[in-house]
Amino acid sequence: MKVYCPSCKKTVEWADTSPFRPFCSKNCQLIDLGEWADEQKTIPCGPSKDAETSQLPDIEDIEALLSQQGDDFFNN
Ligand SMILES: [Zn+2]
């Protein structure tokens, strides 16, 4: 059975002789892992990053609500 290396599209024998399968080499495996890591960086879905991004808008919403309620209070 042969597969295509996801990084360079070379044919790779799906056997014990290809320890980095489906990649043709360790280099291609590292390239793919690097691209995967880059994608992870662009998407803010890490455990700590997610908490930061989900909390910040909430605080802004609360502040906006408070200021709106304050305006209503003074207008009434
Ligand atoms: Zn390759």
Side-chain angles (χ1 to χ4, degrees):
M1 181 182 160
K2 280 184 177 170
V3 295
Y4 289 101
C5 172
S7 290
C8 70
K9 312 299 179 196
K10 261 198 277 188
T11 53
V12 182
E13 185 75 41
W14 192 272
D16 290 339
T17 51
S18 306
F20 303 108
R21 63 189 184 274
F23 303 96
C24 68
S25 64
K26 187 171 188 176
N27 201 30
C28 282
Q29 188 183 40
L30 288 173
I31 286 167
D32 195 76
L33 285 172
E35 285 175 2
W36 180 81
D38 284 346
E39 282 175 28
Q40 290 293 302
K41 279 181 210 158
T42 57
I43 301 163
C45 62
S48 60
K49 287 266 178 193
D50 191 43
E52 281 177 346
T53 52
S54 64
Q55 278 175 5
L56 280 174
D58 287 344
I59 291 162
E60 284 172 9
D61 284 349
I62 289 163
E63 281 176 350
L65 274 171
L66 285 173
S67 65
Q68 278 174 8
Q69 284 177 347
D71 288 341
D72 286 347
F73 178 76
F74 288 119
N75 288 336
N76 291 336

PDB file of all heavy atoms in Angstrom, residues 9-36:
ATOM      1  N   LYS A   9       3.806  15.464  -1.124  1.00  0.00           N
ATOM      2  CA  LYS A   9       3.034  14.665  -2.086  1.00  0.00           C
ATOM      3  C   LYS A   9       3.852  13.549  -2.726  1.00  0.00           C
ATOM      4  O   LYS A   9       3.460  13.005  -3.747  1.00  0.00           O
ATOM      5  CB  LYS A   9       2.427  15.547  -3.191  1.00  0.00           C
ATOM      6  CG  LYS A   9       1.713  16.779  -2.665  1.00  0.00           C
ATOM      7  CD  LYS A   9       0.545  16.423  -1.755  1.00  0.00           C
ATOM      8  CE  LYS A   9      -0.122  17.701  -1.244  1.00  0.00           C
ATOM      9  NZ  LYS A   9      -0.995  17.454  -0.086  1.00  0.00           N
ATOM     10  N   LYS A  10       4.976  13.192  -2.157  1.00  0.00           N
ATOM     11  CA  LYS A  10       5.724  12.036  -2.651  1.00  0.00           C
ATOM     12  C   LYS A  10       5.001  10.768  -2.217  1.00  0.00           C
ATOM     13  O   LYS A  10       4.314  10.760  -1.182  1.00  0.00           O
ATOM     14  CB  LYS A  10       7.146  12.029  -2.058  1.00  0.00           C
ATOM     15  CG  LYS A  10       8.201  12.591  -2.992  1.00  0.00           C
ATOM     16  CD  LYS A  10       9.605  12.179  -2.562  1.00  0.00           C
ATOM     17  CE  LYS A  10      10.160  13.079  -1.477  1.00  0.00           C
ATOM     18  NZ  LYS A  10      11.581  12.807  -1.186  1.00  0.00           N
ATOM     19  N   THR A  11       5.153   9.689  -2.968  1.00  0.00           N
ATOM     20  CA  THR A  11       4.547   8.425  -2.573  1.00  0.00           C
ATOM     21  C   THR A  11       5.379   7.791  -1.467  1.00  0.00           C
ATOM     22  O   THR A  11       6.611   7.791  -1.508  1.00  0.00           O
ATOM     23  CB  THR A  11       4.454   7.455  -3.765  1.00  0.00           C
ATOM     24  OG1 THR A  11       5.732   7.336  -4.355  1.00  0.00           O
ATOM     25  CG2 THR A  11       3.453   7.944  -4.786  1.00  0.00           C
ATOM     26  N   VAL A  12       4.682   7.308  -0.454  1.00  0.00           N
ATOM     27  CA  VAL A  12       5.344   6.693   0.688  1.00  0.00           C
ATOM     28  C   VAL A  12       4.794   5.286   0.859  1.00  0.00           C
ATOM     29  O   VAL A  12       3.580   5.090   0.842  1.00  0.00           O
ATOM     30  CB  VAL A  12       5.080   7.520   1.973  1.00  0.00           C
ATOM     31  CG1 VAL A  12       5.817   6.913   3.159  1.00  0.00           C
ATOM     32  CG2 VAL A  12       5.464   8.974   1.772  1.00  0.00           C
ATOM     33  N   GLU A  13       5.672   4.326   0.993  1.00  0.00           N
ATOM     34  CA  GLU A  13       5.256   2.950   1.230  1.00  0.00           C
ATOM     35  C   GLU A  13       4.720   2.837   2.651  1.00  0.00           C
ATOM     36  O   GLU A  13       5.397   3.217   3.616  1.00  0.00           O
ATOM     37  CB  GLU A  13       6.443   2.007   1.041  1.00  0.00           C
ATOM     38  CG  GLU A  13       6.069   0.535   1.149  1.00  0.00           C
ATOM     39  CD  GLU A  13       5.322   0.030  -0.089  1.00  0.00           C
ATOM     40  OE1 GLU A  13       5.723   0.424  -1.203  1.00  0.00           O
ATOM     41  OE2 GLU A  13       4.374  -0.748   0.071  1.00  0.00           O
ATOM     42  N   TRP A  14       3.462   2.376   2.779  1.00  0.00           N
ATOM     43  CA  TRP A  14       2.860   2.239   4.110  1.00  0.00           C
ATOM     44  C   TRP A  14       3.349   0.926   4.721  1.00  0.00           C
ATOM     45  O   TRP A  14       2.698  -0.103   4.650  1.00  0.00           O
ATOM     46  CB  TRP A  14       1.333   2.265   4.010  1.00  0.00           C
ATOM     47  CG  TRP A  14       0.685   2.416   5.361  1.00  0.00           C
ATOM     48  CD1 TRP A  14       0.344   1.398   6.199  1.00  0.00           C
ATOM     49  CD2 TRP A  14       0.326   3.624   6.012  1.00  0.00           C
ATOM     50  NE1 TRP A  14      -0.205   1.910   7.353  1.00  0.00           N
ATOM     51  CE2 TRP A  14      -0.230   3.264   7.270  1.00  0.00           C
ATOM     52  CE3 TRP A  14       0.431   4.982   5.682  1.00  0.00           C
ATOM     53  CZ2 TRP A  14      -0.691   4.228   8.173  1.00  0.00           C
ATOM     54  CZ3 TRP A  14      -0.039   5.919   6.582  1.00  0.00           C
ATOM     55  CH2 TRP A  14      -0.591   5.544   7.810  1.00  0.00           C
ATOM     56  N   ALA A  15       4.545   1.015   5.310  1.00  0.00           N
ATOM     57  CA  ALA A  15       5.158  -0.182   5.881  1.00  0.00           C
ATOM     58  C   ALA A  15       6.126   0.238   6.976  1.00  0.00           C
ATOM     59  O   ALA A  15       6.377   1.428   7.182  1.00  0.00           O
ATOM     60  CB  ALA A  15       5.906  -0.957   4.795  1.00  0.00           C
ATOM     61  N   ASP A  16       6.666  -0.764   7.663  1.00  0.00           N
ATOM     62  CA  ASP A  16       7.599  -0.471   8.747  1.00  0.00           C
ATOM     63  C   ASP A  16       8.859   0.208   8.243  1.00  0.00           C
ATOM     64  O   ASP A  16       9.596   0.818   9.018  1.00  0.00           O
ATOM     65  CB  ASP A  16       7.979  -1.770   9.467  1.00  0.00           C
ATOM     66  CG  ASP A  16       6.794  -2.308  10.269  1.00  0.00           C
ATOM     67  OD1 ASP A  16       5.888  -1.506  10.583  1.00  0.00           O
ATOM     68  OD2 ASP A  16       6.784  -3.508  10.560  1.00  0.00           O
ATOM     69  N   THR A  17       9.099   0.127   6.931  1.00  0.00           N
ATOM     70  CA  THR A  17      10.286   0.782   6.378  1.00  0.00           C
ATOM     71  C   THR A  17      10.102   2.295   6.302  1.00  0.00           C
ATOM     72  O   THR A  17      11.048   3.011   6.040  1.00  0.00           O
ATOM     73  CB  THR A  17      10.578   0.234   4.968  1.00  0.00           C
ATOM     74  OG1 THR A  17       9.379   0.297   4.192  1.00  0.00           O
ATOM     75  CG2 THR A  17      11.058  -1.200   5.037  1.00  0.00           C
ATOM     76  N   SER A  18       8.874   2.767   6.519  1.00  0.00           N
ATOM     77  CA  SER A  18       8.618   4.208   6.511  1.00  0.00           C
ATOM     78  C   SER A  18       8.145   4.646   7.895  1.00  0.00           C
ATOM     79  O   SER A  18       6.957   4.740   8.155  1.00  0.00           O
ATOM     80  CB  SER A  18       7.552   4.556   5.468  1.00  0.00           C
ATOM     81  OG  SER A  18       7.926   4.048   4.208  1.00  0.00           O
ATOM     82  N   PRO A  19       9.082   4.867   8.792  1.00  0.00           N
ATOM     83  CA  PRO A  19       8.716   5.162  10.185  1.00  0.00           C
ATOM     84  C   PRO A  19       7.956   6.471  10.339  1.00  0.00           C
ATOM     85  O   PRO A  19       7.315   6.687  11.352  1.00  0.00           O
ATOM     86  CB  PRO A  19      10.062   5.215  10.916  1.00  0.00           C
ATOM     87  CG  PRO A  19      11.073   5.503   9.867  1.00  0.00           C
ATOM     88  CD  PRO A  19      10.550   4.888   8.597  1.00  0.00           C
ATOM     89  N   PHE A  20       8.015   7.360   9.354  1.00  0.00           N
ATOM     90  CA  PHE A  20       7.365   8.663   9.482  1.00  0.00           C
ATOM     91  C   PHE A  20       6.060   8.722   8.694  1.00  0.00           C
ATOM     92  O   PHE A  20       5.531   9.797   8.451  1.00  0.00           O
ATOM     93  CB  PHE A  20       8.321   9.772   9.037  1.00  0.00           C
ATOM     94  CG  PHE A  20       9.612   9.770   9.813  1.00  0.00           C
ATOM     95  CD1 PHE A  20      10.791   9.360   9.209  1.00  0.00           C
ATOM     96  CD2 PHE A  20       9.637  10.154  11.143  1.00  0.00           C
ATOM     97  CE1 PHE A  20      11.983   9.343   9.923  1.00  0.00           C
ATOM     98  CE2 PHE A  20      10.823  10.139  11.867  1.00  0.00           C
ATOM     99  CZ  PHE A  20      11.989   9.726  11.250  1.00  0.00           C
ATOM    100  N   ARG A  21       5.577   7.546   8.225  1.00  0.00           N
ATOM    101  CA  ARG A  21       4.351   7.532   7.434  1.00  0.00           C
ATOM    102  C   ARG A  21       3.197   8.194   8.209  1.00  0.00           C
ATOM    103  O   ARG A  21       3.157   8.072   9.439  1.00  0.00           O
ATOM    104  CB  ARG A  21       4.011   6.096   7.027  1.00  0.00           C
ATOM    105  CG  ARG A  21       3.710   5.154   8.205  1.00  0.00           C
ATOM    106  CD  ARG A  21       3.598   3.726   7.713  1.00  0.00           C
ATOM    107  NE  ARG A  21       3.229   2.816   8.783  1.00  0.00           N
ATOM    108  CZ  ARG A  21       4.118   2.243   9.604  1.00  0.00           C
ATOM    109  NH1 ARG A  21       5.398   2.492   9.478  1.00  0.00           N
ATOM    110  NH2 ARG A  21       3.709   1.432  10.564  1.00  0.00           N
ATOM    111  N   PRO A  22       2.292   8.890   7.618  1.00  0.00           N
ATOM    112  CA  PRO A  22       2.171   9.037   6.158  1.00  0.00           C
ATOM    113  C   PRO A  22       3.177  10.012   5.538  1.00  0.00           C
ATOM    114  O   PRO A  22       3.073  10.306   4.361  1.00  0.00           O
ATOM    115  CB  PRO A  22       0.751   9.574   5.999  1.00  0.00           C
ATOM    116  CG  PRO A  22       0.533  10.386   7.219  1.00  0.00           C
ATOM    117  CD  PRO A  22       1.275   9.657   8.322  1.00  0.00           C
ATOM    118  N   PHE A  23       4.114  10.513   6.301  1.00  0.00           N
ATOM    119  CA  PHE A  23       5.115  11.431   5.752  1.00  0.00           C
ATOM    120  C   PHE A  23       6.274  10.637   5.187  1.00  0.00           C
ATOM    121  O   PHE A  23       6.588   9.545   5.667  1.00  0.00           O
ATOM    122  CB  PHE A  23       5.619  12.401   6.827  1.00  0.00           C
ATOM    123  CG  PHE A  23       4.501  13.183   7.453  1.00  0.00           C
ATOM    124  CD1 PHE A  23       3.933  12.767   8.638  1.00  0.00           C
ATOM    125  CD2 PHE A  23       4.009  14.317   6.847  1.00  0.00           C
ATOM    126  CE1 PHE A  23       2.888  13.471   9.219  1.00  0.00           C
ATOM    127  CE2 PHE A  23       2.968  15.040   7.413  1.00  0.00           C
ATOM    128  CZ  PHE A  23       2.408  14.605   8.600  1.00  0.00           C
ATOM    129  N   CYS A  24       6.981  11.225   4.191  1.00  0.00           N
ATOM    130  CA  CYS A  24       8.085  10.518   3.570  1.00  0.00           C
ATOM    131  C   CYS A  24       9.335  10.623   4.428  1.00  0.00           C
ATOM    132  O   CYS A  24      10.238   9.815   4.315  1.00  0.00           O
ATOM    133  CB  CYS A  24       8.349  11.091   2.175  1.00  0.00           C
ATOM    134  SG  CYS A  24       8.998  12.774   2.194  1.00  0.00           S
ATOM    135  N   SER A  25       9.403  11.627   5.295  1.00  0.00           N
ATOM    136  CA  SER A  25      10.604  11.829   6.095  1.00  0.00           C
ATOM    137  C   SER A  25      10.237  12.585   7.365  1.00  0.00           C
ATOM    138  O   SER A  25       9.139  13.144   7.493  1.00  0.00           O
ATOM    139  CB  SER A  25      11.631  12.637   5.305  1.00  0.00           C
ATOM    140  OG  SER A  25      11.122  13.929   5.046  1.00  0.00           O
ATOM    141  N   LYS A  26      11.169  12.618   8.292  1.00  0.00           N
ATOM    142  CA  LYS A  26      10.948  13.362   9.531  1.00  0.00           C
ATOM    143  C   LYS A  26      10.794  14.845   9.244  1.00  0.00           C
ATOM    144  O   LYS A  26      10.041  15.557   9.897  1.00  0.00           O
ATOM    145  CB  LYS A  26      12.139  13.133  10.480  1.00  0.00           C
ATOM    146  CG  LYS A  26      11.903  13.753  11.860  1.00  0.00           C
ATOM    147  CD  LYS A  26      12.970  13.351  12.862  1.00  0.00           C
ATOM    148  CE  LYS A  26      12.577  13.827  14.265  1.00  0.00           C
ATOM    149  NZ  LYS A  26      13.524  13.396  15.290  1.00  0.00           N
ATOM    150  N   ASN A  27      11.523  15.317   8.218  1.00  0.00           N
ATOM    151  CA  ASN A  27      11.449  16.727   7.839  1.00  0.00           C
ATOM    152  C   ASN A  27      10.024  17.109   7.477  1.00  0.00           C
ATOM    153  O   ASN A  27       9.489  18.123   7.932  1.00  0.00           O
ATOM    154  CB  ASN A  27      12.405  16.987   6.665  1.00  0.00           C
ATOM    155  CG  ASN A  27      12.775  18.445   6.561  1.00  0.00           C
ATOM    156  OD1 ASN A  27      12.823  19.147   7.579  1.00  0.00           O
ATOM    157  ND2 ASN A  27      13.043  18.907   5.364  1.00  0.00           N
ATOM    158  N   CYS A  28       9.381  16.268   6.642  1.00  0.00           N
ATOM    159  CA  CYS A  28       8.012  16.560   6.226  1.00  0.00           C
ATOM    160  C   CYS A  28       7.062  16.470   7.424  1.00  0.00           C
ATOM    161  O   CYS A  28       6.112  17.232   7.521  1.00  0.00           O
ATOM    162  CB  CYS A  28       7.576  15.602   5.129  1.00  0.00           C
ATOM    163  SG  CYS A  28       8.251  16.064   3.517  1.00  0.00           S
ATOM    164  N   GLN A  29       7.320  15.556   8.328  1.00  0.00           N
ATOM    165  CA  GLN A  29       6.487  15.437   9.519  1.00  0.00           C
ATOM    166  C   GLN A  29       6.579  16.708  10.360  1.00  0.00           C
ATOM    167  O   GLN A  29       5.578  17.242  10.825  1.00  0.00           O
ATOM    168  CB  GLN A  29       6.940  14.231  10.344  1.00  0.00           C
ATOM    169  CG  GLN A  29       6.014  13.907  11.505  1.00  0.00           C
ATOM    170  CD  GLN A  29       6.535  12.747  12.327  1.00  0.00           C
ATOM    171  OE1 GLN A  29       7.734  12.634  12.578  1.00  0.00           O
ATOM    172  NE2 GLN A  29       5.640  11.876  12.737  1.00  0.00           N
ATOM    173  N   LEU A  30       7.791  17.240  10.508  1.00  0.00           N
ATOM    174  CA  LEU A  30       7.995  18.458  11.290  1.00  0.00           C
ATOM    175  C   LEU A  30       7.345  19.649  10.604  1.00  0.00           C
ATOM    176  O   LEU A  30       6.770  20.519  11.251  1.00  0.00           O
ATOM    177  CB  LEU A  30       9.490  18.706  11.500  1.00  0.00           C
ATOM    178  CG  LEU A  30      10.175  17.748  12.474  1.00  0.00           C
ATOM    179  CD1 LEU A  30      11.684  17.981  12.471  1.00  0.00           C
ATOM    180  CD2 LEU A  30       9.629  17.880  13.875  1.00  0.00           C
ATOM    181  N   ILE A  31       7.434  19.700   9.271  1.00  0.00           N
ATOM    182  CA  ILE A  31       6.801  20.791   8.526  1.00  0.00           C
ATOM    183  C   ILE A  31       5.308  20.785   8.794  1.00  0.00           C
ATOM    184  O   ILE A  31       4.707  21.813   9.079  1.00  0.00           O
ATOM    185  CB  ILE A  31       7.097  20.635   7.009  1.00  0.00           C
ATOM    186  CG1 ILE A  31       8.552  21.007   6.732  1.00  0.00           C
ATOM    187  CG2 ILE A  31       6.145  21.505   6.185  1.00  0.00           C
ATOM    188  CD1 ILE A  31       9.010  20.592   5.331  1.00  0.00           C
ATOM    189  N   ASP A  32       4.707  19.591   8.731  1.00  0.00           N
ATOM    190  CA  ASP A  32       3.267  19.499   8.949  1.00  0.00           C
ATOM    191  C   ASP A  32       2.908  19.876  10.374  1.00  0.00           C
ATOM    192  O   ASP A  32       1.937  20.584  10.617  1.00  0.00           O
ATOM    193  CB  ASP A  32       2.791  18.076   8.646  1.00  0.00           C
ATOM    194  CG  ASP A  32       1.284  18.030   8.503  1.00  0.00           C
ATOM    195  OD1 ASP A  32       0.791  18.474   7.451  1.00  0.00           O
ATOM    196  OD2 ASP A  32       0.614  17.594   9.449  1.00  0.00           O
ATOM    197  N   LEU A  33       3.682  19.441  11.335  1.00  0.00           N
ATOM    198  CA  LEU A  33       3.421  19.799  12.730  1.00  0.00           C
ATOM    199  C   LEU A  33       3.564  21.295  12.934  1.00  0.00           C
ATOM    200  O   LEU A  33       2.811  21.911  13.676  1.00  0.00           O
ATOM    201  CB  LEU A  33       4.392  19.044  13.655  1.00  0.00           C
ATOM    202  CG  LEU A  33       4.085  17.562  13.856  1.00  0.00           C
ATOM    203  CD1 LEU A  33       5.214  16.888  14.620  1.00  0.00           C
ATOM    204  CD2 LEU A  33       2.777  17.373  14.613  1.00  0.00           C
ATOM    205  N   GLY A  34       4.551  21.894  12.250  1.00  0.00           N
ATOM    206  CA  GLY A  34       4.754  23.335  12.347  1.00  0.00           C
ATOM    207  C   GLY A  34       3.567  24.100  11.806  1.00  0.00           C
ATOM    208  O   GLY A  34       3.124  25.075  12.402  1.00  0.00           O
ATOM    209  N   GLU A  35       3.023  23.644  10.655  1.00  0.00           N
ATOM    210  CA  GLU A  35       1.849  24.309  10.091  1.00  0.00           C
ATOM    211  C   GLU A  35       0.662  24.169  11.020  1.00  0.00           C
ATOM    212  O   GLU A  35      -0.117  25.091  11.204  1.00  0.00           O
ATOM    213  CB  GLU A  35       1.525  23.695   8.719  1.00  0.00           C
ATOM    214  CG  GLU A  35       2.496  24.151   7.659  1.00  0.00           C
ATOM    215  CD  GLU A  35       2.235  23.451   6.331  1.00  0.00           C
ATOM    216  OE1 GLU A  35       1.291  22.658   6.244  1.00  0.00           O
ATOM    217  OE2 GLU A  35       3.001  23.727   5.397  1.00  0.00           O
ATOM    218  N   TRP A  36       0.540  22.985  11.634  1.00  0.00           N
ATOM    219  CA  TRP A  36      -0.557  22.756  12.578  1.00  0.00           C
ATOM    220  C   TRP A  36      -0.424  23.707  13.765  1.00  0.00           C
ATOM    221  O   TRP A  36      -1.396  24.312  14.212  1.00  0.00           O
ATOM    222  CB  TRP A  36      -0.498  21.306  13.039  1.00  0.00           C
ATOM    223  CG  TRP A  36      -1.567  20.952  14.011  1.00  0.00           C
ATOM    224  CD1 TRP A  36      -2.855  20.625  13.721  1.00  0.00           C
ATOM    225  CD2 TRP A  36      -1.462  20.898  15.438  1.00  0.00           C
ATOM    226  NE1 TRP A  36      -3.553  20.373  14.887  1.00  0.00           N
ATOM    227  CE2 TRP A  36      -2.725  20.542  15.933  1.00  0.00           C
ATOM    228  CE3 TRP A  36      -0.408  21.129  16.340  1.00  0.00           C
ATOM    229  CZ2 TRP A  36      -2.965  20.400  17.305  1.00  0.00           C
ATOM    230  CZ3 TRP A  36      -0.644  20.994  17.691  1.00  0.00           C
ATOM    231  CH2 TRP A  36      -1.911  20.622  18.163  1.00  0.00           C
TER     232      TRP A  36
END
